[in-house]
Amino acid sequence: MLRQSPLCFDKEETVTMEQFIYSFNKTFIVENRYKLFLTGIKNTITIALFATLIGIAIGLIVAIIRYSAKKNRKLFIFDFLCKIYVTIIRGTPVVVQLLIMYYTIFVNMDNTVFIAIMTFGINSGAYVAEIARAGIESVDKGQLEAGLSLGLNRSKTMFFIILPQAVKNILPALGNEFIALLKETSVAGFVPIIDLTNAGNIVRSRTYEPFFSLYTVALCYLIMVLGLGAVQKRLERRFSQGDRN
Amino acid sequence: MIEIKNINKSFAGNHVLKDVSATINKGEKVVVIGPSGSGKSTFLRCMNLLEIPDSGSIIFEGKDITDKTSDINTVRQKMGMVFQHFNLFPHLTVLENITLAPIKLNLQPKKQADENAITLLKRIGLVDKKDEYPNMLSGGQQQRIAIVRSLAMKPEIMLFDEPTSALDPEMIGEVLRLMKDLAEEGMTMVVVTHEMGFAKSVANRILFMDEGQILEENNPSDFFSNPANERAKEFLSKILYDI
């Protein structure tokens, strides 16, 4: 596509209000293009949200398996599988993973948003697993012993004593991971999905005007990231109840 | 009540417990003393299998708990343990610390567990701290709550692993007094400690350990006035000093 200076109208040097409105109109109003942006926002949020949930679930499971495998040799095969998973996912670009999912694994599926959710969820899981493992290991060993000495079994100790403390320790890192994930979903457009970035692209290819579409896309991401940051802060405050003030 | 038979334990080639045997009877207060690295903490931790002995057996209430078929979690419910560093759960309030195990193990409904915990807290004079988090409390308060947390499980025996070693000197008394109270109520106790005053006044029996073996087993008055073992003599002369 043609690259041009942001608001250029037939060699005129200054941008008048009229042209500004005209361009705005073209980007958002004509053909109800604002709806495209809304669809993009909706899809991006859907993908990021569910991918986050899948990421947390996979990440915690993998982290717990790998932590438990240190004590229980019977789990070594699972530990090995987890290691392979983390290595492959972290070792390949998410775009390639997405294309593989779309072209080779979910060949007969039309629901591309679902494919994107799976891809980004599985991708995020590998990173969350490493973060969570570090978090679990950061909890004092005495906590495990105290739980066990009260007669709680290992999984109850893990669930009620270790994990809440681990989650608190890793909240900042998790927050970063999910902010990164949200922005990473901008490559979802490599397969037929109208995510936010792709919505901007489609509009731009219709209007031949990059200004409003790109800045709108950027602003939307920024607002979403700020929202995530606020959620993160709130969670951190909630989990830090037991801290010395 | 608990019978330890010929247990051995090594950590990465370091032979920490060498064929140790001992018996603890119901209602007895046994104090284990000895220099650092003598294996006394490991010995204590073997009793509730926080360390699993490489060989030997531990008989608790007639059953070998080192046996693969025995359910260690149920056994541990009957064995309270108090740690040097308290190990209270920092993310839970004092009350939740005490009630967590009874509730999650379905031994008591929440209401009853709460009432029980409040009774225990009243006993140690900390009921006004029930909604605070452990980090807000002094070391002595934390350790007393840790003791009470174990008591909430109504254990048959209490194991103490240097319960006062991490405390400021002025906090030690309150913890030892609570332990003495427990002893007077007839709780079976095994205490690893460096508090000789406590050993003298509370113990029925002293186990002196060094280099992974129990070198002397004696009643406190004889042990402190006239230890039979040479190493024990040397140890006592070093810690019961006059300047």
Side-chain angles (χ1 to χ4, degrees):
Chain A
M1 150 159 200
L2 269 169
R3 284 181 65 187
Q4 30 190 334
S5 60
L7 280 170
C8 64
F9 302 95
D10 304 327
K11 291 175 191 165
E12 262 182 83
E13 304 260 314
T14 51
V15 178
T16 65
M17 196 62 194
E18 225 166 80
Q19 287 159 342
F20 193 79
I21 289 168
Y22 172 74
S23 173
F24 180 91
N25 189 44
K26 220 160 92 176
T27 305
F28 295 108
I29 312 297
V30 175
E31 291 181 349
N32 280 340
R33 285 182 188 139
Y34 72 95
K35 280 190 178 161
L36 213 51
F37 285 105
L38 290 182
T39 309
I41 290 171
K42 190 193 89 195
N43 283 339
T44 291
I45 289 179
T46 310
I47 294 168
L49 180 69
F50 288 102
T52 299
L53 296 180
I54 293 174
I56 291 176
I58 295 179
L60 286 182
I61 291 169
V62 170
I64 290 170
I65 289 175
R66 298 203 59 188
Y67 176 80
S68 313
K70 281 200 301 191
K71 279 268 164 195
N72 189 344
R73 280 192 208 111
K74 279 180 231 156
L75 289 172
F76 97 97
I77 182 80
F78 295 103
D79 182 46
F80 184 68
L81 290 175
C82 290
K83 237 188 259 176
I84 289 180
Y85 159 71
V86 172
T87 308
I88 290 177
I89 295 296
R90 295 208 305 174
T92 54
V94 68
V95 180
V96 177
Q97 291 163 17
L98 180 67
L99 293 174
I100 287 175
M101 285 287 221
Y102 180 69
Y103 285 110
T104 71
I105 295 171
F106 293 108
V107 184
N108 294 318
M109 182 171 280
D110 293 330
N111 190 345
T112 46
V113 171
F114 175 81
I115 296 174
I117 287 172
M118 294 309 288
T119 309
F120 288 106
I122 291 169
N123 180 274
S124 174
Y127 293 91
V128 174
E130 290 297 288
I131 294 171
R133 197 162 64 106
I136 290 171
E137 274 162 18
S138 75
V139 176
D140 179 31
K141 213 173 138 244
Q143 295 289 312
L144 171 70
E145 292 181 349
L148 294 180
S149 78
L150 288 168
L152 296 165
N153 62 25
R154 277 181 180 273
S155 44
K156 280 188 172 151
T157 305
M158 172 58 79
F159 198 76
F160 296 116
I161 296 168
I162 314 274
L163 270 189
Q165 297 181 55
V167 169
K168 188 199 114 194
N169 291 347
I170 61 177
L171 271 182
L174 271 186
N176 280 344
E177 162 58 21
F178 295 130
I179 286 171
L181 170 68
L182 174 72
K183 291 184 294 181
E184 237 169 41
T185 61
S186 60
V187 300
F190 271 77
V191 299
I193 294 177
I194 302 177
D195 76 312
L196 180 55
T197 305
N198 207 12
N201 280 344
I202 293 168
V203 170
R204 201 180 67 237
S205 67
R206 306 273 284 180
T207 61
Y208 293 100
E209 278 179 24
F211 181 86
F212 274 109
S213 58
L214 279 177
Y215 282 87
T216 304
V217 167
L219 187 67
C220 288
Y221 279 114
L222 184 62
I223 290 169
M224 287 192 265
V225 168
L226 290 178
L228 259 184
V231 172
Q232 181 187 0
K233 214 171 222 159
R234 198 173 243 197
L235 281 175
E236 274 173 34
R237 209 173 308 143
R238 192 130 151 236
F239 272 84
S240 65
Q241 279 172 329
D243 289 353
R244 218 179 276 268
N245 32 355
Chain B
M1 164 172 256
I2 186 163
E3 199 180 346
I4 296 117
K5 284 185 188 162
N6 308 91
I7 56 171
N8 280 282
K9 178 75 184 171
S10 299
F11 292 110
N14 185 10
H15 204 169
V16 184
L17 290 181
K18 296 169 188 158
D19 226 17
V20 175
S21 298
T23 305
I24 287 128
N25 300 310
K26 195 165 176 59
E28 239 188 340
K29 294 94 187 75
V30 176
V31 170
V32 185
I33 61 177
S36 300
S38 57
K40 51 195 194 309
S41 274
T42 309
F43 170 66
L44 188 77
R45 289 157 59 83
C46 278
M47 288 189 205
N48 68 350
L49 298 193
L50 280 185
E51 304 293 351
I52 296 165
D54 301 330
S55 67
S57 55
I58 297 163
I59 317 289
F60 178 65
E61 295 182 332
K63 272 189 235 157
D64 184 358
I65 59 172
T66 56
D67 193 86
K68 286 266 187 293
T69 56
S70 93
D71 179 10
I72 183 57
N73 296 315
T74 355
V75 173
R76 285 189 185 127
Q77 292 177 20
K78 297 184 204 156
M79 292 189 185
M81 186 161 204
V82 176
F83 301 87
Q84 182 177 355
H85 295 288
F86 332 137
N87 298 352
L88 289 177
F89 308 131
H91 62 300
L92 300 176
T93 63
V94 166
L95 193 71
E96 289 164 343
N97 262 277
I98 300 171
T99 58
L100 178 81
I103 293 175
K104 298 305 178 196
L105 293 167
N106 299 320
L107 301 177
Q108 289 173 345
K110 185 175 183 312
K111 194 160 165 268
Q112 198 190 333
D114 282 351
E115 281 166 11
N116 186 28
I118 285 170
T119 313
L120 287 164
L121 282 172
K122 273 188 187 146
R123 169 187 176 162
I124 58 170
L126 291 177
V127 74
D128 55 324
K129 307 283 187 198
K130 71 182 169 66
D131 295 319
E132 297 211 22
Y133 287 91
N135 285 340
M136 309 297 288
L137 307 176
S138 74
Q141 290 171 333
Q142 290 192 45
Q143 191 62 299
R144 285 186 291 146
I145 287 163
I147 292 173
V148 158
R149 178 176 67 178
S150 292
L151 291 180
M153 293 296 294
K154 303 192 168 69
E156 308 277 324
I157 179 171
M158 288 283 286
L159 311 173
F160 294 84
D161 188 4
E162 303 201 25
T164 56
S165 299
L167 293 173
D168 285 342
E170 55 182 331
M171 312 274 177
I172 292 176
E174 59 189 77
V175 172
L176 292 182
R177 267 193 298 280
L178 174 58
M179 289 167 61
K180 196 171 174 187
D181 281 355
L182 277 181
E184 281 163 4
E185 284 168 20
M187 177 65 79
T188 312
M189 293 162 69
V190 183
V191 185
V192 171
T193 186
H194 293 294
E195 294 295 330
M196 296 304 146
F198 178 82
K200 269 183 206 169
S201 69
V202 176
N204 305 125
R205 194 147 51 101
I206 306 279
L207 300 183
F208 175 76
M209 286 187 76
D210 192 23
E211 298 190 340
Q213 288 170 313
I214 296 174
L215 296 182
E216 181 163 351
E217 203 174 334
N218 210 336
N219 64 62
S221 57
D222 286 350
F223 179 78
F224 285 105
S225 59
N226 188 21
N229 180 275
E230 279 304 314
R231 183 71 186 87
K233 263 182 209 165
E234 189 195 332
F235 177 74
L236 286 177
S237 72
K238 278 183 184 159
I239 57 162
L240 301 173
Y241 44 78
D242 296 310
I243 294 175

